[in-house]
């Protein structure tokens, strides 16, 4: 049942190209328009929405953080992302024109369910992005956009995460299409690029041996830090979460711009720091800033593990280890950049003798608050 893999997690990491392709299947039309008829919320309501609020936990929350960049950029609708466990306790401002998006692999996460119930009580519309047909969260929502990752067995979420990001992007582009804002050449180009993503994830997977080797060499470390900017920041958070839950190591993700506001004090000789580098093509200001951040931490002794696009030569002098990922538009990069971080955490956990599919103290679906 593990399909020749030692762990479900390895199998599920390998299944990501198919999971992403299946999630996009039938939802992108021949001329690049999105057909999400399954979203039964009338187009008029989507046009009138004044705010999008994403609620989720853990890895699904990180998918939501990424989605915020896409939704605000393509639709100009303000988007908040909140941990489902915090949401209803702060008296959030919601009304009929708020679109609440609940993201959940299992569809049974109690915190997320309670958040969506609270949102509906306040009159908000709720759309679920979910991987489990007929589970509680989609049943209690006004509409659902299913991710088609297939069953995810390993406790640590991998293929579900990539498909959550893909589904959030479909939603962002669809909202842009319905509302007519910014729906132009850029969105059409992004839809084309999105259709290429599964193949690019496949290419990343084919080049992971050096990442595994590096992970094994770090098995004796206590701490790994992760840095990113823009959509690379949630990717850094996700890389750190994977490492905590699987390798039981101290791992933290930071927005690279925050380094000088505190975290840089943590940098010491030979501390591994993973840096997710944005494309030098798109938002080049971001790229320059992160190259300076890499220089700063390296000057203080960090061992830099740099995840950068093919052809990005500016990072080469400052990378102790360089992991190449295919060139993608900035907003789509998380789907390729997250993959080496999953492989890294899985291999490190194995090297430390941990049970990869069933990490201690964790359950696949958290049905208590
Ligand atoms: C991390 C992980 C958890 C889940 C979280 C939400 O690898 O799996 O953080 O992402 O418990 O679960 P769902 O998506 O089922 O609501």
């Amino acid at each position: 049942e593990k399909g020749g893999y030692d762990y479900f997690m390895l199998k599920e990491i390998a299944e990501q190209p198919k999971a992403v392709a299946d999630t996009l299947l039938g939802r992108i039309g021949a001329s690049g328009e999105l057909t999400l008829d399954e979203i039964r919320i009338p187009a008029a309501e989507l046009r009138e929405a004044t705010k999008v609020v994403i609620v989720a936990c853990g890895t699904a929350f990180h998918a939501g953080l990424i989605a915020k960049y896409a939704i605000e950029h393509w639709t100009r609708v303000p988007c908040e992302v909140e941990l489902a466990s915090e949401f209803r306790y702060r008296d959030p401002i919601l009304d009929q024109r708020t679109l609440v998006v609940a993201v959940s692999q299992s569809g049974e996460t109690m915190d997320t369910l309670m958040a969506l119930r609270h949102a509906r009580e306040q009159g908000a519309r709720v759309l679920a992005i979910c991987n489990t047909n007929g589970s509680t969260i989609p049943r209690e929502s006004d509409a659902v956009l299913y991710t088609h990752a297939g069953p995810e067995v390993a406790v640590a979420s991998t293929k579900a995460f990539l498909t959550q990001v893909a589904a959030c992007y479909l939603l962002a582009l669809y909202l842009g299409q319905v509302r007519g804002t910014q729906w132009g050449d850029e969105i059409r180009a992004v839809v084309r690029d999105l259709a290429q993503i599964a193949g690019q994830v496949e290419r990343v997977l084919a080049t992971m041996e050096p990442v595994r080797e590096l992970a094994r060499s770090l098995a004796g470390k206590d701490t790994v830090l992760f840095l990113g900017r823009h959509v690379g920041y949630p990717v850094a958070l996700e890389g750190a979460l994977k490492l905590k839950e699987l390798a039981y190591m101290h791992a933290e993700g930071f927005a690279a711009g925050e380094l000088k506001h505190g975290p840089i004090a943590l940098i010491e000789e030979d501390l591994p720091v993973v840096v997710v580098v944005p494309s030098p093509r798109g938002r080049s200001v971001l790229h320059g800033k992160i190259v300076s951040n890499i220089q700063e931490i390296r000057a203080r002794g960090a061992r830099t593990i740099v995840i950068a696009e093919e052809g990005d030569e500016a990072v080469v002098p400052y990378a102790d280890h360089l992991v190449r990922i295919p060139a993608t538009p900035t907003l789509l990069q998380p789907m390729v950049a997250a993959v080496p971080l999953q492989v890294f955490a899985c291999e490190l956990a194995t090297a430390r003798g941990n049970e990869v599919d069933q990490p201690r103290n964790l359950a696949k679906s958290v049905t208590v608050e």
Side-chain angles (χ1 to χ4, degrees):
E1 52 180 0
K2 291 179 193 149
Y5 293 93
D6 290 343
Y7 309 106
F8 279 107
M9 187 176 174
L10 289 173
K11 173 171 177 270
E12 289 162 4
I13 287 174
E15 284 171 348
Q16 293 185 110
K18 181 174 186 314
V20 169
D22 287 351
T23 298
L24 301 177
L25 193 71
R27 289 166 168 172
I28 300 177
S31 55
E33 82 290 0
L34 296 160
T35 44
L36 296 185
D37 301 339
E38 48 196 302
I39 297 187
R40 297 175 312 254
I41 300 179
E45 272 181 43
L46 294 177
R47 266 194 291 276
E48 279 158 24
T50 52
K51 183 167 76 168
V52 176
V53 178
I54 302 176
V55 290
C57 303
T59 288
F61 172 69
H62 296 154
L65 289 176
I66 293 167
K68 175 186 166 82
Y69 292 85
I71 289 172
E72 292 196 337
H73 178 66
W74 288 323
T75 72
R76 310 312 295 156
V77 182
C79 176
E80 296 168 12
V81 190
E82 185 142 7
L83 289 166
S85 56
E86 289 290 324
F87 183 66
R88 71 198 169 103
Y89 300 107
R90 69 166 174 93
D91 196 12
I93 300 163
L94 302 162
D95 61 27
Q96 293 79 345
R97 297 180 69 182
T98 311
L99 177 65
V100 172
V101 181
V103 186
S104 175
Q105 188 286 128
S106 62
E108 302 295 347
T109 300
M110 187 56 74
D111 287 312
T112 310
L113 180 61
M114 296 312 276
L116 89 80
R117 281 185 185 158
H118 180 79
R120 291 193 81 191
E121 277 161 21
Q122 312 297 307
R125 285 294 197 174
V126 177
L127 170 82
I129 290 181
C130 185
N131 195 46
T132 312
N133 268 57
S135 55
T136 311
I137 287 171
R139 271 195 282 116
E140 294 205 14
S141 299
D142 296 293
V144 54
L145 183 58
Y146 279 110
T147 49
H148 297 304
E152 192 177 64
V153 176
V155 164
S157 186
T158 54
K159 62 176 182 170
F161 173 68
L162 253 65
T163 60
Q164 282 161 351
V165 175
C168 285
Y169 277 49
L170 287 174
L171 174 66
L173 293 163
Y174 183 68
L175 275 176
Q177 177 178 305
V178 165
R179 299 171 67 96
T181 48
Q182 304 272 310
W183 174 249
D185 294 344
E186 182 183 339
I187 291 189
R188 253 185 292 274
V190 169
V191 170
R192 268 196 305 277
D193 291 328
L194 194 56
Q196 305 295 316
I197 278 288
Q200 292 176 318
V201 172
E202 187 95 61
R203 274 176 52 207
V204 175
L205 288 169
T207 59
M208 287 294 95
E209 200 38 50
V211 172
R212 285 190 202 100
E213 217 168 280
L214 170 65
R216 288 192 292 271
S217 77
L218 298 176
K221 292 282 181 190
D222 301 317
T223 299
V224 179
L225 302 183
F226 294 77
L227 299 179
R229 276 180 185 263
H230 194 263
V231 287
Y233 169 42
V235 173
L237 295 177
E238 174 61 7
L241 178 61
K242 284 286 159 293
L243 206 59
K244 282 174 207 166
E245 64 181 332
L246 295 164
Y248 318 149
M249 287 167 85
H250 170 225
E252 273 190 84
F254 299 110
E258 278 293 290
L259 269 177
K260 58 186 171 301
H261 301 290
I264 200 162
L266 291 169
I267 306 293
E268 55 186 23
E269 200 55 36
D270 214 33
L271 178 79
V273 184
V274 179
V275 187
V276 181
V277 179
S279 165
R281 295 161 304 121
R283 293 162 173 74
S284 54
V285 184
L286 279 179
H287 180 267
K289 291 239 158 94
I290 213 151
V291 173
S292 323
N293 294 140
I294 303 173
Q295 283 175 264
E296 281 157 16
I297 57 170
R298 198 152 183 268
R300 289 162 179 81
R303 169 135 48 130
T304 56
I305 303 163
V306 175
I307 303 190
E309 182 172 299
E310 286 156 3
D312 179 350
E313 297 306 322
V315 296
V316 174
Y318 315 110
D320 294 308
H321 307 272
L322 185 55
V323 180
R324 288 297 190 185
I325 51 176
T328 56
T330 304
L331 283 168
L332 299 184
Q333 198 203 49
M335 299 179 71
V336 288
V339 175
L341 304 187
Q342 300 166 340
V343 171
F344 181 72
C346 185
E347 189 70 23
L348 236 164
T350 312
R352 287 163 72 96
N354 297 352
E355 174 50 74
V356 170
D357 286 337
Q358 289 287 338
R360 67 186 182 199
N361 309 338
L362 293 172
K364 183 64 184 164
S365 74
V366 184
T367 53
V368 291
E369 262 192 281

